[in-house]
Amino acid sequence: MESVNFFKGYGKLSHLESQNPRPRSASAAITISAVLFFTLVIGFTLAALLLQPINDKDPTDSASASSLSSNLVESIKTICNVTRYPDSCFTALSSLNASTKPDLEAFLDLSLQVAITHLSDLSSSFKSLNDLHSQPALKDCLTLFDDALSRLNDSVSAMKVGTGKELVLTKEKISDIQTWISAAMTDQDTCNDGLEEMGWTAADEVVKSQSQSCKELISNSLAIVANMQNLLQKCGRTMH
């Protein structure tokens, strides 16, 4: 009898458990959800605390860089506005290292250096042309390019003085440099005129592009030096 009563009791207990499965499941789900919620809250709080030093530092660095970039851009625009080809001028002068606190002398020096590089490349391209030896005009161009490079290099050298090669411009130097750059531009124009007279047209589009780039860069350098005194006045400086 006792064994029968024991099993009867067991059966009742199982019956009670089977009557209350849902409340226990709901309670467990709520508990799990609460744990997940608080875990997410703690996680976001920790992330915010960890990232706070970075967020505090970036705006300062960014603002400083933005201010420097903005000043450089405005300086370049002011200079290039006096040129005939402002787009090519802006591209050339944008490569200047902003950390050097550039002045007008540095901008002119860079403009000349870029023109020299492009003219050297153009001369090399002409030397590689197949009909170089059969066309006198092409040989004449090489001679003219050499003369133009010499004058541009003289212009760069005239700006540098002292052991530290400081860039210094005077009225006399400005006059000389303007004369030399004008001569370099004439050299290239003479080359182009000679090619047109002989009816020669370069099949290589690269050569045509190089020739136009050189023309624009030399023209821009000439415009900058021709307007140097006016540009200096805008910066509150005077020519000695």
Side-chain angles (χ1 to χ4, degrees):
M1 292 297 294
E2 292 179 359
S3 62
V4 172
N5 290 335
F6 175 79
F7 283 109
K8 286 183 178 180
Y10 183 81
K12 291 180 180 179
L13 180 60
S14 299
H15 177 70
L16 290 173
E17 288 178 348
S18 65
Q19 294 298 319
N20 299 298
R22 293 183 179 177
R24 179 172 293 181
S25 299
S27 177
I30 293 174
T31 301
I32 294 173
S33 297
V35 172
L36 290 174
F37 174 76
F38 285 113
T39 300
L40 289 174
V41 171
I42 293 173
F44 283 126
T45 301
L46 290 174
L49 291 174
L50 291 173
L51 291 175
Q52 186 66 34
I54 298 177
N55 290 334
D56 288 343
K57 183 178 180 181
D58 283 347
T60 302
D61 294 342
S62 177
S64 177
S66 176
S67 175
L68 181 60
S69 176
S70 177
N71 291 335
L72 182 61
V73 168
E74 288 305 314
S75 297
I76 294 174
K77 284 183 177 180
T78 299
I79 295 172
C80 291
N81 281 340
V82 305
T83 68
R84 185 177 179 182
Y85 307 98
D87 290 341
S88 60
C89 172
F90 189 89
T91 299
L93 299 187
S94 294
S95 62
L96 188 67
N97 185 0
S99 64
T100 60
K101 296 181 180 180
D103 50 25
L104 285 173
E105 289 86 351
F107 282 121
L108 176 58
D109 179 68
L110 177 61
S111 181
L112 288 167
Q113 296 284 6
V114 174
I116 289 171
T117 299
H118 279 68
L119 187 56
S120 296
D121 292 340
L122 178 61
S123 179
S124 297
S125 295
F126 265 72
K127 291 176 182 178
S128 65
L129 293 173
N130 294 328
D131 50 354
L132 173 63
H133 299 290
S134 61
Q135 298 293 346
L138 297 181
K139 290 183 178 181
D140 290 341
C141 283
L142 289 178
T143 301
L144 291 167
F145 291 159
D146 286 341
D147 183 69
L149 285 170
S150 177
R151 296 177 186 276
L152 293 179
N153 280 309
D154 286 343
S155 299
V156 171
S157 298
M159 297 174 62
K160 300 178 180 180
V161 297
T163 56
K165 297 299 182 182
E166 181 183 0
L167 297 175
V168 177
L169 286 176
T170 62
K171 291 182 180 179
E172 290 76 14
K173 286 186 178 182
I174 286 293
S175 179
D176 290 339
I177 292 173
Q178 187 172 350
T179 299
W180 293 331
I181 299 176
S182 296
M185 179 176 265
T186 300
D187 285 335
Q188 188 175 13
D189 288 340
T190 301
C191 168
N192 292 334
D193 291 342
L195 296 177
E196 290 179 3
E197 288 179 4
M198 71 175 230
W200 180 84
T201 56
D204 191 349
E205 291 297 327
V206 175
V207 174
K208 293 180 181 179
S209 177
Q210 287 178 324
S211 180
Q212 180 61 29
S213 294
C214 287
K215 177 181 178 180
E216 294 181 4
L217 291 168
I218 295 175
S219 172
N220 290 340
S221 296
L222 180 60
I224 293 173
V225 72
N227 290 274
M228 183 60 68
Q229 293 194 40
N230 292 333
L231 291 172
L232 285 172
Q233 289 178 359
K234 290 183 179 181
C235 298
R237 295 174 53 192
T238 57
M239 182 71 65
H240 298 290

